[in-house]
Amino acid sequence: MDEMNKDFNMPFYIFEEITEYIELTAQGYCKTTKWNNIQKLLKLAQINNKLSSKQVNFIIEKYNRE
């Protein structure tokens, strides 16, 4: 079975955006635009070989609050 290393290095700018997104949604704000931007950043990181498609999918499934 192909297991994914969940301790992968996420680019810091994506980490900051996800943290802010989670904080805003925890306060009751709906931030669909912010989430869309995060997804675009994730796809760009994948294109630039900073993240694999498996890692991108994991982050999307784990942190999506929409």
Side-chain angles (χ1 to χ4, degrees), residues 27-51:
Q27 296 170 4
Y29 297 105
C30 179
K31 294 295 177 187
T32 304
T33 303
K34 184 163 230 11
W35 180 249
N36 289 338
N37 288 339
I38 291 169
Q39 287 181 310
K40 289 174 185 166
L41 288 173
L42 289 167
K43 294 297 182 180
L44 284 172
Q46 180 182 347
I47 289 169
N48 291 321
N49 295 318
K50 302 291 183 188
L51 296 172

Side-chain angles (χ1 to χ4, degrees), residues 12-61:
F12 190 71
Y13 60 92
I14 295 175
F15 173 77
E16 286 181 314
E17 290 295 316
I18 291 173
T19 301
E20 185 177 336
Y21 169 74
I22 290 171
E23 288 172 351
L24 290 171
T25 56
Q27 296 170 4
Y29 297 105
C30 179
K31 294 295 177 187
T32 304
T33 303
K34 184 163 230 11
W35 180 249
N36 289 338
N37 288 339
I38 291 169
Q39 287 181 310
K40 289 174 185 166
L41 288 173
L42 289 167
K43 294 297 182 180
L44 284 172
Q46 180 182 347
I47 289 169
N48 291 321
N49 295 318
K50 302 291 183 188
L51 296 172
S52 70
S53 62
K54 194 177 236 185
Q55 291 167 330
V56 168
N57 291 334
F58 173 79
I59 293 168
I60 289 171
E61 290 173 15

